Amino acid sequence: MWLVFNVLHLSYHMQHLGMYGTRDQVLNVVTLTLLVLSSAALLVPVLPGRRQGDTW
């Protein structure tokens, strides 16, 4: 759900960058892209064979 929201949110702001100054445009693109990437990272499964609490 977070991934869908963040992709749509990024898409909206990418279409409306003209209303912002240069610094805000850059910060919007960078921040919202990082949110999309972090949301996508939550979908990556944990490596097999490693469980929470396992120690080296």
Side-chain angles (χ1 to χ4, degrees):
M1 180 164 138
W2 284 110
L3 181 59
V4 173
F5 171 79
N6 285 324
V7 167
L8 293 174
H9 193 201
L10 173 64
S11 173
Y12 172 83
H13 281 280
M14 291 293 287
Q15 295 174 14
H16 296 91
L17 286 175
M19 67 176 69
Y20 300 111
T22 303
R23 179 180 53 178
D24 288 333
Q25 288 177 349
V26 171
L27 290 173
N28 265 301
V29 171
V30 169
T31 303
L32 294 174
T33 300
L34 288 174
L35 284 172
V36 168
L37 293 175
S38 62
S39 298
L42 292 174
L43 297 176
V44 176
V46 177
L47 295 175
R50 303 247 354 234
R51 292 185 208 117
Q52 185 177 5
D54 284 352
T55 58
W56 294 85

